[in-house]
Amino acid sequence: MTKRAVFLDRDGTLIVDHGYIHKPSQVELLPGVIEALIKLKTFGFELIIISNQSGIGRGFFTKKEVDHVNQHLYNLLISHKIKLTGIYYCPHHPDDKCTCRKPEPGLLLQALSEHKIDAKKSYFVGDKLTDVQAAIAAGVQPVLLSRDNVSTHTIPIIIVDSLLKFTKVIKQEDF
Ligand SMILES: [Mg+2]
């Protein structure tokens, strides 16, 4: 049986985007995230974070600080019985022209391969157009968190205003 995943952007999707988060005390879950993640687990999805952390490449903070923040988030979710399958992040500066910084699909492709996940049965939820672009490039269904009506795309995108809304949209789908 193939596995499917909901890939998740971190800042602005799971936690409040305070901008260049580098301390565990800045981790603030967005409303409804716990409930949403529990539902997604119940639906049988692996949960994997895919995040750009260019603050490392820009010299604002270290990899160790990012790992610390991620570990805190991981533990916070564990305390709600939600176990993430993986946390992937790109440490590079935009000028580095790497293949892992979203909109590039590098991290998604790596996670799909490492966890043997079926891209077509998976989603990537993010709050930026670069998340959508990465999802499309990796063959994963894009989900954009937005309050605006941005339905100008030729590729079908699910647009909802929260992660919890997303779980209500896919609930009706036949897995
Ligand atoms: Mg984001």
Side-chain angles (χ1 to χ4, degrees), residues 27-67:
V27 172
E28 187 187 340
L29 287 169
L30 282 158
V33 160
I34 295 295
E35 194 187 336
L37 295 181
I38 288 172
K39 278 191 177 169
L40 293 174
K41 275 279 183 193
T42 310
F43 297 161
F45 288 103
E46 307 286 330
L47 303 174
I48 299 175
I49 292 178
I50 305 285
S51 177
N52 282 354
Q53 293 299 324
S54 71
I56 297 167
R58 294 173 204 269
F60 296 166
F61 45 73
T62 64
K63 242 178 146 172
K64 208 171 174 183
E65 285 175 291
V66 171
D67 290 339

Side-chain angles (χ1 to χ4, degrees), residues 9-15 17 102 125-128 130-131:
D9 166 54
R10 193 191 76 180
D11 305 337
T13 298
L14 295 179
I15 63 177
D17 190 352
K102 297 175 288 184
V125 188
D127 67 321
K128 288 196 176 146
T130 47
D131 297 316

Side-chain angles (χ1 to χ4, degrees), residues 18 45 50 126 132-133 154 162 164 169:
H18 290 298
F45 288 103
I50 305 285
V132 170
Q133 291 168 317
T154 49
S162 72
L164 195 54
V169 173

Side-chain angles (χ1 to χ4, degrees), residues 3-170:
K3 288 193 278 185
R4 58 203 174 158
V6 174
F7 296 99
L8 300 146
D9 166 54
R10 193 191 76 180
D11 305 337
T13 298
L14 295 179
I15 63 177
V16 177
D17 190 352
H18 290 298
Y20 299 110
I21 291 172
H22 60 284
K23 288 186 293 196
S25 61
Q26 295 172 304
V27 172
E28 187 187 340
L29 287 169
L30 282 158
V33 160
I34 295 295
E35 194 187 336
L37 295 181
I38 288 172
K39 278 191 177 169
L40 293 174
K41 275 279 183 193
T42 310
F43 297 161
F45 288 103
E46 307 286 330
L47 303 174
I48 299 175
I49 292 178
I50 305 285
S51 177
N52 282 354
Q53 293 299 324
S54 71
I56 297 167
R58 294 173 204 269
F60 296 166
F61 45 73
T62 64
K63 242 178 146 172
K64 208 171 174 183
E65 285 175 291
V66 171
D67 290 339
H68 202 190
V69 169
N70 287 342
Q71 187 64 50
H72 177 76
L73 176 58
Y74 181 88
N75 293 343
L76 187 60
L77 296 177
I78 283 285
S79 74
H80 292 276
K81 305 206 168 15
I82 300 159
K83 192 172 190 299
L84 295 174
T85 301
I87 301 178
Y88 293 75
Y89 65 85
C90 165
H92 303 113
H93 190 284
D95 294 345
D96 290 350
K97 303 268 181 282
C98 65
T99 56
C100 53
R101 178 173 167 79
K102 297 175 288 184
E104 295 298 324
L107 290 182
L108 273 173
L109 295 174
Q110 187 188 341
L112 284 165
S113 154
E114 284 181 0
H115 298 284
K116 299 188 173 43
I117 288 161
D118 186 343
K120 284 193 234 49
K121 290 184 178 167
S122 300
Y123 298 88
F124 182 28
V125 188
D127 67 321
K128 288 196 176 146
L129 231 38
T130 47
D131 297 316
V132 170
Q133 291 168 317
I136 292 168
V140 172
Q141 299 172 78
V143 181
L144 179 65
L145 299 187
S146 175
R147 286 191 166 76
D148 307 323
N149 192 6
V150 281
S151 54
T152 54
H153 301 271
T154 49
I155 292 169
I157 301 175
I158 298 170
I159 301 172
V160 285
D161 64 7
S162 72
L163 195 60
L164 195 54
K165 282 268 179 67
F166 167 62
T167 67
K168 284 167 185 163
V169 173
I170 55 163

